[in-house]
Amino acid sequence: MALAGDDRGFYGVTFSRTGSFEGMFRASWETGDLDVMADCHGDSYDVYPAGDVVYVASHAHDCSNIGGFPDAAPNQYWHAPAFTNYATGETLPTTDSNYYDYSGQPAATNLHFYPSFQIGSYTGTNQATWTVEGNDEYVVYGGEFLSVNGTAQQGLVRFARRDIAPNQEGPVDKGGAYPLTASSEQAGRVDLSFSTNWDRDDQTLTYAVYRDADAARSLEDFLALEPVWNQQVASSFWQVSTVEVADEVDPGSTHSYVVVVWDRWGAWTRSEWVRLTAADPEGGAAADVDEGAPAGEQVGEPAGDGLEEEPAGAGADGEDAEAPANRDQIRGGWRENGKRGGF
């Protein structure tokens, strides 16, 4: 569907389910040998190499052959996938027998860059992006989409390098969509549980649980307090894990809890508060969930245009440039657990 070139080689993007390659590849100018491939199922229409990163206009839906996101049911499409411009491992055996098996070929890593496009209707082909270009500051996608990351943005959008971007795209699940549960079965012990969140352009997020922090309104307010627990966790939209935290308090005392999560740029969100009374020696008490945020609270990212960015020459997320060592387990775990959860 498209070809591009730079001093590293020539690039192509294709789609085919009948014995030919589907995805992105780079080959050598001198020999024609395959240097790197992104065996990523889903029609691909255009390609733009930008230093150590290659951006593709596509409707990719299965990059599990290179340790990336798996196929979902029903299909979940990603229209601006990004890959390393070098091999980080070998292509895995295909997960779909309808596609040719390229196992053992030099594989790129699917980078953590997942802007969400609303599919348009102009061509009637159920697509969003058709083309991608760029320079040393921006990557630009064109197509028939109607919004990006939930913000109205029709047909043309640009993503900026980190150093010139607003960096306001934070964790996706917010407020009531990001539940925290609490219980107390042992005297003086509160057990808290929540799932990992995810961010469209940062794989590693910081999580912190706070007790009796109802007066906090901003991330700065929370950071000025001592958390019950905090930790950095790497996760993706298809890699959701459960975090469990225990807090020791006075038996019979009543407390409120909240989990706050933010990226390295300070874009953040939080769960709703959960209030409960810790068990005393005679027994426990059920959690009492508050109705919502305190009056006047502004939850989520700072005000802005809502579009997020990636460095045009440094990759969707530099920290993720290495292939995940556990990509076989990641793929297998999703197929076992994600399907059952109706993902």
Side-chain angles (χ1 to χ4, degrees):
M1 292 298 293
L3 293 170
D6 62 14
D7 58 359
R8 300 188 184 197
F10 65 91
Y11 305 75
V13 286
T14 72
F15 68 86
S16 173
R17 296 187 62 178
T18 56
S20 297
F21 175 65
E22 180 161 282
M24 182 276 296
F25 70 86
R26 190 193 83 209
S28 167
W29 287 116
E30 288 76 20
T31 66
D33 291 342
L34 183 70
D35 290 333
V36 63
M37 66 161 31
D39 187 12
C40 199
H41 299 160
D43 299 357
S44 296
Y45 311 110
D46 200 10
V47 57
Y48 174 67
D52 287 338
V53 181
V54 182
Y55 295 91
V56 175
S58 178
H59 73 208
H61 57 86
D62 184 2
C63 286
S64 59
N65 292 343
I66 59 170
F69 56 86
D71 213 355
N75 282 345
Q76 183 175 27
Y77 296 115
W78 299 98
H79 298 94
F83 307 96
T84 57
N85 198 354
Y86 48 89
T88 56
E90 293 185 351
T91 301
L92 301 170
T94 184
T95 58
D96 187 336
S97 60
N98 291 310
Y99 292 88
Y100 192 80
D101 191 330
Y102 283 93
S103 56
Q105 295 294 336
T109 287
N110 171 213
L111 293 168
H112 193 95
F113 179 53
Y114 300 114
S116 178
F117 292 79
Q118 180 185 354
I119 292 172
S121 60
Y122 182 77
T123 64
T125 56
N126 203 35
Q127 305 298 336
T129 63
W130 287 108
T131 185
V132 56
E133 300 293 344
N135 58 21
D136 60 352
E137 292 186 327
Y138 297 97
V139 172
V140 181
Y141 279 89
E144 55 182 298
F145 50 87
L146 302 176
S147 69
V148 183
N149 296 345
T151 297
Q153 183 76 19
Q154 186 169 348
L156 191 67
V157 63
R158 68 181 185 180
F159 300 93
R161 279 197 336 241
R162 287 286 194 185
D163 59 334
I164 60 173
N167 294 310
Q168 294 172 351
E169 184 64 49
V172 172
D173 297 328
K174 313 177 193 307
Y178 188 49
L180 169 67
T181 62
S183 63
S184 183
E185 302 298 332
Q186 301 179 29
R189 171 173 166 148
V190 175
D191 293 302
L192 305 158
S193 177
F194 57 93
S195 297
T196 53
N197 212 313
W198 75 283
D199 190 306
R200 291 187 177 99
D201 64 348
D202 283 291
Q203 187 172 27
T204 300
L205 301 173
T206 301
Y207 297 78
V209 173
Y210 292 91
R211 181 200 319 127
D212 300 332
D214 305 59
R217 295 292 182 272
S218 65
L219 180 60
E220 290 72 20
D221 291 343
F222 283 108
L223 293 179
L225 303 174
E226 185 69 25
V228 171
W229 169 94
N230 70 290
Q231 184 173 315
Q232 288 189 334
V233 180
S235 60
S236 303
F237 66 88
W238 77 94
Q239 296 169 285
V240 178
S241 58
T242 299
V243 179
E244 296 180 343
V245 177
D247 186 29
E248 301 294 333
V249 296
D250 293 333
S253 59
T254 300
H255 302 279
S256 63
Y257 292 90
V258 66
V259 56
V260 179
V261 55
W262 62 93
D263 65 19
R264 55 180 168 164
W265 313 98
W268 71 289
T269 191
R270 62 158 179 81
S271 69
E272 302 288 5
W273 271 268
V274 172
R275 188 180 305 276
L276 85 166
T277 300
D280 59 26
E282 278 67 46
D288 180 16
V289 181
D290 288 348
E291 290 298 321
E297 177 97 15
Q298 183 68 39
V299 180
E301 292 83 19
D305 60 15
L307 298 181
E308 192 46 8
E309 64 308 305
E310 290 309 323
D317 205 25
E319 65 184 4
D320 304 316
E322 296 298 325
N326 64 331
R327 59 186 177 187
D328 284 324
Q329 292 88 340
I330 289 170
R331 184 175 67 193
W334 183 89
R335 289 191 177 277
E336 177 183 350
N337 300 323
K339 294 286 188 181
R340 186 170 63 245
F343 178 55

